């Protein structure tokens, strides 16, 4: 008997889901292998003076496969980074309609990347092109990633769309048949894209801005929104279809990069810490030492966030890891909701405190030393933490809304012993970088291995947790890297249109003082931060602003630190402060209450950013002392 049409489709849908899951798991394993390979390279080079000839090439090969392999799994789990400020506030029916339209944009992106990537693969095969480096291999093996992964991503997004359409049909029965809002919304989205494409022909800069805003506000994943804008701009300005052959080349140049390899590695190390209770041990230790001070538990939360930030490098992950532990204890000991929420969301400084994924990306975009950026961020981060602690101390004394918690010396020492291995992690990573033992990327690999060994020693990991770590690392790492891919496609367009040079010439000719331009830049970043993810802000703006820095008298390193402080502020300011939503997910409280508690922390961040601009030596002192540049 032949299977029914419904069962036939169900079987194929399950196959697609299983393949995406398998690809995501393999991607997670691949990044674990990279961390092992890079750690092996450090040992062989530093201890035995026998550097390998294959680790560098193999690691970059895996990096490219990792990002694109995990893309379909991120889509399956609906975990791509999306600025859903508009979509999330629409009625369910309307949001589904707009979501399907956004999926069509994603499908177009996968078709373009897959098609031209296939041509690149076929060309490399027919012409016997090999890699350049110590380890030679046929390049078609690398380029095979394009048709394979884009094909699966296409099928996964198509499956998601069909599920949404099916759900839409069921909702339609409960919705007024004459409802026109979704149709108007879809029409408006389509018209806005059409207008943006028109402006790409007549005024490319305006077209870029319009299309980016249209795609992002329509719920298109940020990476695809940036990438499709770049692709449309290349098509309209540089030889139509012929220009799109550059798309896979740009993706290869972006992913085949040893500096950016540090990002998914640091993320994997952070996921291990969060999943294996190491953050909990650190919070327990700090709270026992500071519990008897006025506001001590709140201070402990801030310090614990700082310590975990020195291991994870992503603020939202820090807020989640510490918030689950700290918020119930803070509320139980009489602290106000506002101060409790602010201590967690505001204290999570993973973007600023090294090792920071944001600083790694900034260093890549500006060709700056990542080690120098890390060193430059230390003192500003310490000042910011100091401001937070002082604020908490005085608010607690004035309000009296806290309870002192005293512990014996034995309890304090025991808690410190339990957290000791976790506390060593940032010292090993940063100490290794500044002593020249390993590069930031190698440091990230060593960090992963160290965290895994620590979790095993603590007996906080089993096979289920381990597989969960691999999957989560694949989703987070791939989602962030897809934004960078999209941004680099768009940056290629921006560079070819000479927008940075034209903007520089306009500013010079306008007669505006550097102070006014810098003030406008800060205002722009504050506004962008209310709507976009920090990484998206960085990769979207820095290629344009970087050439302006000499004209404005801005030090590249100092501005990088200022930008990270502003991004930290964006994470706790509505309407799209991601840390606020992390706290909301933990507490189920009103977002306005959470935002109110974070306003003082946001104000202190803005104040520190201004101080750094007026006194750049604060950031530059440590890099100069360490002779890093």
């Amino acid at each position: 008997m032949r299977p029914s049409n419904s069962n036939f489709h169900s079987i194929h849908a399950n196959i697609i889901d299983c393949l995406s899951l398998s690809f995501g798991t393999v991607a997670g394993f691949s990044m674990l292998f990279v961390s092992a390979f890079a750690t092996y390279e450090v040992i062989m080079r530093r201890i035995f003076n026998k550097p390998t000839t294959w680790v560098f090439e193999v690691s970059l090969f895996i990096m490219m496969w990792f990002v694109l392999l995990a893309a379909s799994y991120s889509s399956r789990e609906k975990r791509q980074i999306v600025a859903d400020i508009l979509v999330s506030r629409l009625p369910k029916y309307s949001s589904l309609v707009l979501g399907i339209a956004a999926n069509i944009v994603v499908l177009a992106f996968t078709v373009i990347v897959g098609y031209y990537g296939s041509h690149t693969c076929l060309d490399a095969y027919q012409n016997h092109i090999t890699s350049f480096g110590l380890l030679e291999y046929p390049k078609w093996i690398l380029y095979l990633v394009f048709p394979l992964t884009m094909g699966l991503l296409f099928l996964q997004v198509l499956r998601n769309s069909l599920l949404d359409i099916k759900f839409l049909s069921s909702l339609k029965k409960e919705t007024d048949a004459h409802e026109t809002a979704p149709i108007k919304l879809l029409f408006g989205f389509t018209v806005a894209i059409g207008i943006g494409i028109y402006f790409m022909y007549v005024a490319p800069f305006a077209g870029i801005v319009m299309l980016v805003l249209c795609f992002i506000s329509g719920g298109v994943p940020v990476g695809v929104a940036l990438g499709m804008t770049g692709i449309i701009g290349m098509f309209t300005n540089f030889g139509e279809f012929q220009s799109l052959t550059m798309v896979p080349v740009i993706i290869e140049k972006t992913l085949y990069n040893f500096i950016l390899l540090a990002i998914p590695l640091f993320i994997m190390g952070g996921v291990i810490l969060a999943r294996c209770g190491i953050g909990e041990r650190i919070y327990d230790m700090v709270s026992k030492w500071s519990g008897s001070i006025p506001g001590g538990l709140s201070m402990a939360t801030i310090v614990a966030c700082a310590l975990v930030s020195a291991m994870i490098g992503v603020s939202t992950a820090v807020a989640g890891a510490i918030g689950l532990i700290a918020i119930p204890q803070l509320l139980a000991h009489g602290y106000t909701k506002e101060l409790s929420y602010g201590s967690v969301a505001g204290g999570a400084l993973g973007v600023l405190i090294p090792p920071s994924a944001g600083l790694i990306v900034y260093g890549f975009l500006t060709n700056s030393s990542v080690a120098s950026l890390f060193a430059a961020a230390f003192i500003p981060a310490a000042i910011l933490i100091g401001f937070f602690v002082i604020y908490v101390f005085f608010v607690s004394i004035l309000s009296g809304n806290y309870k002192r918690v005293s512990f014996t010396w034995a309890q304090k020492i025991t808690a410190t012993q339990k957290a000791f291995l976790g506390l060593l992690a940032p010292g090993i990573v940063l100490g290794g970088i500044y002593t020249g033992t390993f590069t930031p990327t190698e440091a990230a690999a060593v960090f992963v291995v160290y965290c895994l060994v620590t979790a095993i020693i603590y007996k906080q990991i089993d096979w289920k947790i381990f597989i969960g770590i691999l999957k989560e690392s694949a989703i987070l790492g791939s989602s962030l890297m897809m934004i960078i891919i999209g941004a680099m496609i768009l940056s290629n367009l921006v560079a070819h249109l000479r927008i940075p040079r034209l903007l520089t010439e306009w500013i010079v000719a306008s007669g505006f003082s550097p102070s006014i331009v810098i003030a406008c830049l800060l205002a722009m970043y504050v506004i962008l931060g209310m709507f976009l993810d920090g990484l998206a802000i960085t990769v979207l703006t820095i290629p344009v602003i970087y050439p302006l820095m000499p004209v404005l008298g801005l030090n590249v390193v100092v501005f990088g630190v200022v930008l990270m402080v502003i991004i930290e502020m964006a994470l706790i300011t509505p309407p799209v402060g991601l840390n606020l939503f992390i706290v909301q997910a933990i507490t189920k409280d009103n977002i306005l209450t959470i935002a109110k508690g974070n306003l003082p922390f946001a104000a202190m961040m803005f104040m520190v950013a201004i101080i750094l601009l007026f006194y750049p030596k604060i950031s530059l002192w440590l890099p100069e002392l360490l002779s890093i540049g």
Side-chain angles (χ1 to χ4, degrees):
M1 180 182 292
R2 294 182 67 181
S4 69
N5 194 47
S6 176
N7 289 337
F8 180 77
H9 287 301
S10 177
I11 291 168
H12 281 72
N14 289 333
I15 290 172
I16 293 169
D17 280 349
C18 287
L19 281 173
S20 294
L21 175 61
S22 300
F23 274 30
T25 308
V26 169
F29 267 113
S30 70
M31 203 44 54
L32 188 64
F33 290 145
V34 167
S35 64
F37 295 155
T39 303
Y40 171 77
E41 158 66 19
V42 170
I43 293 170
M44 294 302 294
R45 187 179 74 244
R46 303 302 302 185
I47 298 177
F48 300 104
N49 196 29
K50 291 184 178 180
T52 65
T53 59
W54 55 273
V55 166
F56 181 83
E57 294 288 339
V58 169
S59 297
L60 294 181
F61 181 95
I62 292 175
M63 164 73 158
M64 191 158 167
W65 277 85
F66 161 80
V67 173
L68 299 178
L69 274 175
S72 59
Y73 182 53
S74 298
S75 178
R76 175 186 184 267
E77 299 297 309
K78 298 190 175 180
R79 294 278 302 278
Q80 309 101 319
I81 296 175
V82 177
D84 59 354
I85 179 173
L86 172 63
V87 177
S88 62
R89 285 160 174 76
L90 292 172
K92 189 65 180 176
Y93 193 88
S94 298
S95 67
L96 276 172
V97 170
L98 198 55
I100 292 166
N103 281 345
I104 292 172
V105 177
V106 178
L107 289 173
F109 180 80
T110 60
V111 168
I112 292 167
V113 175
Y115 177 78
Y116 288 100
S118 298
H119 275 267
T120 304
C121 179
L122 185 61
D123 182 64
Y125 177 77
Q126 291 175 339
N127 293 292
H128 306 289
I129 299 172
T130 59
S131 64
F132 298 99
L134 295 175
L135 182 68
E136 286 192 13
Y137 60 88
K139 287 295 287 286
W140 69 266
I141 299 175
L142 177 66
Y143 297 142
L144 188 62
V145 71
F146 290 117
L148 183 64
T149 60
M150 289 300 106
L152 182 59
L153 180 57
F154 180 90
L155 292 174
Q156 185 63 63
V157 175
L158 184 62
R159 165 162 163 66
N160 293 347
S161 300
L162 292 175
L163 286 174
D164 287 344
I165 292 170
K166 185 178 179 181
F167 187 37
L168 202 62
S169 300
S170 65
L171 280 179
K172 194 173 183 179
K173 298 174 183 177
E174 306 169 14
T175 309
D176 184 356
H178 301 289
E179 179 67 57
T180 60
I183 297 172
K184 291 178 180 177
L185 190 67
L186 186 59
F187 179 75
F189 181 66
T190 306
V191 169
I193 293 174
I195 294 172
I197 293 173
Y198 169 76
F199 272 97
M200 276 290 192
Y201 282 102
V202 297
F205 183 71
I208 289 171
V209 174
M210 289 184 67
L211 279 177
V212 168
L213 292 177
C214 176
F215 285 142
I216 287 178
S217 61
V220 178
V222 174
V224 175
L226 301 178
M228 274 304 293
T229 302
I231 287 169
I232 291 170
M234 290 162 65
F235 180 86
T236 56
N237 287 275
F238 307 117
E240 298 183 343
F241 290 105
Q242 183 61 32
S243 66
L244 301 186
T245 57
M246 284 300 297
V247 172
V249 176
I250 296 167
I251 294 174
E252 181 194 2
K253 286 183 178 179
T254 302
L255 296 181
Y256 214 77
N257 187 289
F258 200 64
I259 295 173
L260 294 181
L261 178 59
I263 294 176
L265 289 173
F266 274 125
I267 286 172
M268 176 169 274
V271 172
I272 294 171
L273 287 173
R275 290 289 186 95
C276 298
I278 297 172
E280 185 175 351
R281 289 169 180 259
I282 290 172
Y283 178 76
D284 182 59
M285 179 204 73
V286 178
S287 64
K288 282 183 167 58
W289 282 99
S290 64
S292 59
I293 304 170
L297 277 183
S298 184
M299 292 180 192
T301 301
I302 292 166
V303 173
C305 282
L307 291 172
V308 174
S309 295
M311 304 176 204
I312 293 181
V314 180
S315 293
T316 50
V318 176
I322 299 300
L324 285 167
I325 310 158
I327 290 174
Q329 291 199 38
L330 287 165
L331 296 177
H333 286 86
Y335 290 84
T336 63
K337 287 183 177 181
E338 289 80 4
L339 189 60
S340 302
Y341 301 158
S343 300
V344 171
L349 300 174
V351 172
L352 176 63
I353 297 176
S356 156
L359 288 173
I360 292 169
V361 172
Y362 181 86
F364 164 71
L365 293 173
T366 60
N367 198 28
S368 305
S369 164
V370 173
S372 181
L373 288 165
F374 281 2
F378 267 111
I379 294 178
I383 292 171
L384 200 51
I385 293 164
F387 281 178
F388 291 169
V389 168
I390 292 168
Y391 167 76
V392 165
F393 179 78
F394 282 108
V395 166
S396 298
I397 287 179
L398 293 173
S399 67
N401 293 320
Y402 71 95
K403 292 178 184 177
R404 298 192 185 203
V405 187
S406 298
F407 298 94
T408 65
W409 278 99
Q411 289 174 313
K412 293 177 181 178
I413 292 170
T414 301
T416 304
Q417 289 173 338
K418 288 181 178 179
F420 181 70
L421 288 177
L423 292 172
L424 282 180
I428 292 171
V429 169
L430 299 173
I433 292 172
Y434 296 128
T435 57
T437 304
F438 33 70
T439 66
T441 301
E442 290 171 338
V446 172
F447 176 60
V448 171
V449 173
Y450 180 83
C451 289
L452 196 58
V453 171
T454 300
I456 293 170
I457 292 172
Y458 282 156
K459 298 180 180 179
Q460 294 286 322
I461 190 169
D462 55 26
W463 182 250
K464 184 178 179 181
I465 293 173
F466 177 68
I467 295 298
I469 287 169
L470 297 182
K471 292 177 182 177
E472 185 71 9
S473 301
I475 288 172
L476 294 176
S478 177
S479 297
L480 289 175
M481 293 307 300
M482 286 301 290
I483 291 178
I484 298 175
I485 287 173
M488 295 313 294
I489 294 173
L490 181 57
S491 295
N492 181 75
L493 170 67
V494 168
H496 278 83
L497 291 173
R498 302 192 310 137
I499 289 174
R501 181 177 176 180
L502 294 173
L503 188 58
T504 303
E505 291 173 353
W506 179 79
I507 289 174
V508 171
S510 68
F512 291 131
S513 69
S515 300
I516 292 175
V517 178
I518 292 169
C520 291
L521 287 178
L522 285 181
M524 177 192 76
Y525 277 118
V526 171
I527 294 169
L528 285 176
M530 293 179 179
F531 302 96
L532 291 177
D533 170 75
L535 183 62
I537 293 170
T538 303
V539 296
L540 187 60
T541 61
I542 291 303
V544 177
I545 292 173
Y546 173 53
L548 299 178
M549 292 183 192
V551 177
L552 300 175
L554 288 171
N555 182 283
V556 175
V557 171
V558 174
F559 189 77
V561 178
V562 171
L563 177 59
M564 294 307 118
V565 175
I566 295 294
I567 287 173
E568 290 288 8
M569 187 178 79
L571 288 169
I572 58 172
T573 51
V576 191
L578 293 182
N579 283 8
L580 302 181
F581 290 109
I582 294 292
V583 172
Q584 186 185 42
I586 294 170
T587 63
K588 312 300 180 188
D589 206 341
N590 187 288
I591 194 70
L592 292 177
T593 303
I594 299 168
K596 181 181 175 183
N598 278 275
L599 282 178
F601 292 86
M604 286 182 275
M605 289 176 184
F606 188 74
M607 184 168 62
V608 168
I610 299 300
I611 291 171
L612 293 177
L613 285 173
F614 278 100
Y615 301 99
K617 281 289 183 183
I618 294 172
S619 293
L620 296 175
W621 178 79
L622 190 55
E624 290 173 356
L625 179 68
L626 298 173
S627 300
I628 303 172

Coordinates of all heavy atoms in Angstrom, one line a residue, residues 16-17 75-76 78 80 96-108 110 153-169:
I16 N 14.3 16.2 7.0 CA 15.0 17.6 7.0 C 15.3 18.0 8.4 O 16.5 18.5 8.6 CB 14.0 18.6 6.4 CG1 13.8 18.3 4.9 CG2 14.5 20.0 6.5 CD1 12.7 19.1 4.2
D17 N 14.4 17.8 9.4 CA 14.7 18.2 10.8 C 15.9 17.4 11.3 O 16.8 17.9 12.0 CB 13.5 18.0 11.6 CG 12.5 19.1 11.5 OD1 12.9 20.2 10.9 OD2 11.3 19.0 12.0
S75 N 18.1 27.7 12.1 CA 16.8 27.9 11.5 C 15.8 27.0 12.0 O 14.6 27.4 12.3 CB 16.9 27.8 10.0 OG 15.7 28.0 9.4
R76 N 16.1 25.7 12.2 CA 15.2 24.7 12.7 C 14.7 25.1 14.1 O 13.5 25.0 14.5 CB 15.9 23.4 12.8 CG 15.1 22.2 13.4 CD 16.0 21.0 13.5 NE 15.3 19.8 14.0 CZ 15.3 19.5 15.3 NH1 15.9 20.2 16.2 NH2 14.6 18.4 15.7
K78 N 14.7 28.1 15.3 CA 14.3 29.5 15.2 C 15.1 30.4 16.2 O 14.5 31.1 17.0 CB 12.8 29.6 15.5 CG 12.0 28.9 14.4 CD 10.5 29.2 14.5 CE 9.8 28.5 13.3 NZ 8.3 28.7 13.3
Q80 N 17.9 32.3 15.1 CA 18.7 33.3 14.4 C 18.5 34.6 15.1 O 17.5 34.8 15.8 CB 18.3 33.4 12.9 CG 18.3 32.2 12.1 CD 16.8 31.6 12.0 OE1 16.0 31.7 12.9 NE2 16.6 31.1 10.8
L96 N 2.7 36.1 11.6 CA 3.0 34.9 10.8 C 3.1 35.3 9.3 O 4.0 34.8 8.6 CB 1.8 33.9 11.0 CG 2.0 33.0 12.2 CD1 0.7 32.1 12.4 CD2 3.1 32.0 12.1
V97 N 2.2 36.1 8.9 CA 2.2 36.6 7.5 C 3.6 37.3 7.2 O 4.2 37.0 6.2 CB 1.1 37.5 7.1 CG1 1.2 38.2 5.8 CG2 -0.3 36.8 7.2
L98 N 4.0 38.2 8.1 CA 5.3 38.9 7.9 C 6.4 37.9 8.0 O 7.4 38.0 7.3 CB 5.4 40.0 8.9 CG 6.4 41.1 8.6 CD1 6.2 41.7 7.2 CD2 6.4 42.2 9.6
G99 N 6.3 36.9 8.9 CA 7.4 35.9 9.1 C 7.5 35.1 7.8 O 8.7 34.8 7.4
I100 N 6.5 34.8 7.1 CA 6.6 34.0 5.9 C 7.2 34.9 4.8 O 8.1 34.4 4.0 CB 5.2 33.6 5.4 CG1 4.6 32.5 6.4 CG2 5.2 33.0 4.0 CD1 3.1 32.3 6.2
A101 N 6.9 36.2 4.8 CA 7.6 37.1 3.8 C 9.1 37.1 4.1 O 9.9 37.1 3.2 CB 6.9 38.4 3.9
A102 N 9.4 37.2 5.4 CA 10.8 37.2 5.8 C 11.5 35.9 5.4 O 12.7 35.9 4.9 CB 11.0 37.4 7.3
N103 N 10.8 34.8 5.5 CA 11.4 33.5 5.0 C 11.7 33.5 3.5 O 12.6 32.9 3.1 CB 10.5 32.4 5.4 CG 10.6 32.0 6.9 OD1 11.6 32.4 7.6 ND2 9.6 31.3 7.4
I104 N 10.8 34.2 2.8 CA 11.1 34.2 1.3 C 12.4 35.0 1.0 O 13.1 34.6 0.1 CB 9.9 34.9 0.6 CG1 8.6 34.0 0.7 CG2 10.2 35.2 -0.8 CD1 7.3 34.7 0.3
V105 N 12.7 36.0 1.8 CA 13.9 36.7 1.6 C 15.1 35.8 2.0 O 16.1 35.8 1.3 CB 14.0 38.0 2.5 CG1 15.3 38.7 2.4 CG2 12.8 38.9 2.2
V106 N 14.9 35.0 3.0 CA 16.0 34.1 3.4 C 16.2 33.0 2.3 O 17.3 32.7 2.0 CB 15.7 33.4 4.8 CG1 16.7 32.3 5.1 CG2 15.5 34.4 5.9
L107 N 15.1 32.5 1.7 CA 15.2 31.6 0.7 C 15.9 32.1 -0.5 O 16.7 31.5 -1.2 CB 13.8 31.1 0.2 CG 13.0 30.2 1.2 CD1 11.6 30.0 0.7 CD2 13.7 28.9 1.4
A108 N 15.6 33.4 -0.9 CA 16.4 34.1 -2.0 C 17.9 34.1 -1.7 O 18.7 33.9 -2.6 CB 15.8 35.5 -2.2
T110 N 19.6 32.1 0.3 CA 20.2 30.7 0.2 C 20.4 30.3 -1.3 O 21.4 29.7 -1.6 CB 19.4 29.7 0.9 OG1 18.0 29.7 0.3 CG2 19.2 30.0 2.4
L153 N 19.7 24.4 4.2 CA 19.1 25.6 4.8 C 17.8 26.0 4.0 O 16.8 26.4 4.6 CB 20.1 26.8 4.8 CG 19.6 28.1 5.4 CD1 19.1 27.9 6.8 CD2 20.7 29.1 5.3
F154 N 17.9 25.9 2.7 CA 16.7 26.2 1.8 C 15.5 25.3 2.2 O 14.4 25.7 2.4 CB 17.1 26.0 0.4 CG 15.9 26.3 -0.6 CD1 15.7 27.5 -1.1 CD2 15.0 25.2 -0.9 CE1 14.6 27.8 -1.9 CE2 14.0 25.5 -1.8 CZ 13.8 26.8 -2.3
L155 N 15.8 24.0 2.3 CA 14.8 23.0 2.7 C 14.2 23.3 4.1 O 13.0 23.2 4.3 CB 15.3 21.6 2.6 CG 15.7 21.1 1.2 CD1 16.3 19.7 1.2 CD2 14.4 21.0 0.3
Q156 N 15.1 23.6 5.0 CA 14.7 23.9 6.4 C 13.8 25.1 6.5 O 12.7 25.1 7.2 CB 15.9 24.0 7.3 CG 15.5 24.1 8.8 CD 14.8 22.9 9.3 OE1 15.4 21.8 9.3 NE2 13.6 23.0 9.8
V157 N 14.2 26.2 5.8 CA 13.4 27.4 5.8 C 12.1 27.2 5.1 O 11.0 27.7 5.5 CB 14.2 28.6 5.2 CG1 13.3 29.8 5.1 CG2 15.4 28.9 6.0
L158 N 12.1 26.4 4.0 CA 10.9 26.1 3.3 C 9.9 25.3 4.2 O 8.7 25.5 4.2 CB 11.2 25.3 2.1 CG 10.0 24.9 1.1 CD1 9.4 26.2 0.6 CD2 10.5 24.0 0.0
R159 N 10.5 24.3 4.9 CA 9.7 23.5 5.9 C 9.1 24.5 7.0 O 7.9 24.3 7.3 CB 10.5 22.5 6.5 CG 9.9 21.8 7.8 CD 10.5 20.5 8.2 NE 10.1 20.1 9.5 CZ 8.9 19.8 10.0 NH1 7.9 19.9 9.2 NH2 8.7 19.5 11.2
N160 N 9.9 25.4 7.5 CA 9.4 26.3 8.5 C 8.2 27.1 7.9 O 7.2 27.4 8.6 CB 10.5 27.2 9.0 CG 11.6 26.5 9.8 OD1 11.4 25.3 10.2 ND2 12.7 27.2 10.0
S161 N 8.4 27.5 6.7 CA 7.3 28.4 6.1 C 6.1 27.6 5.9 O 5.0 28.1 6.1 CB 7.9 28.9 4.7 OG 9.0 29.7 4.9
L162 N 6.2 26.3 5.4 CA 5.0 25.5 5.2 C 4.3 25.3 6.6 O 3.0 25.3 6.6 CB 5.4 24.2 4.6 CG 5.9 24.3 3.2 CD1 6.4 22.9 2.7 CD2 4.8 24.8 2.2
L163 N 5.0 25.1 7.6 CA 4.4 24.9 9.0 C 3.7 26.2 9.4 O 2.6 26.2 9.9 CB 5.5 24.6 10.0 CG 6.0 23.2 10.0 CD1 7.2 23.0 11.0 CD2 5.0 22.2 10.3
D164 N 4.3 27.4 9.1 CA 3.6 28.6 9.4 C 2.4 28.8 8.5 O 1.4 29.3 9.0 CB 4.6 29.8 9.1 CG 5.7 29.9 10.1 OD1 5.6 29.3 11.2 OD2 6.7 30.6 9.8
I165 N 2.4 28.4 7.3 CA 1.2 28.5 6.4 C 0.1 27.6 6.9 O -1.1 28.0 7.0 CB 1.6 28.2 5.0 CG1 2.5 29.2 4.4 CG2 0.3 28.0 4.1 CD1 3.1 28.9 3.0
K166 N 0.5 26.4 7.4 CA -0.5 25.5 8.0 C -1.1 26.1 9.2 O -2.4 26.0 9.4 CB 0.2 24.2 8.3 CG -0.8 23.1 8.8 CD 0.0 21.8 9.0 CE -1.0 20.7 9.5 NZ -0.3 19.4 9.7
F167 N -0.3 26.7 10.1 CA -0.8 27.3 11.3 C -1.6 28.5 11.0 O -2.7 28.8 11.6 CB 0.4 27.7 12.2 CG 0.0 28.2 13.5 CD1 -1.1 27.7 14.2 CD2 0.7 29.3 14.1 CE1 -1.4 28.1 15.5 CE2 0.4 29.7 15.4 CZ -0.7 29.2 16.1
L168 N -1.3 29.2 9.9 CA -2.0 30.4 9.4 C -3.4 30.0 9.0 O -4.4 30.7 9.3 CB -1.3 31.0 8.3 CG -1.5 32.5 7.9 CD1 -1.1 33.4 9.1 CD2 -0.8 32.9 6.7
S169 N -3.5 28.9 8.3 CA -4.8 28.4 7.9 C -5.7 28.0 9.1 O -6.9 28.3 9.1 CB -4.6 27.1 7.0 OG -3.9 27.4 5.9

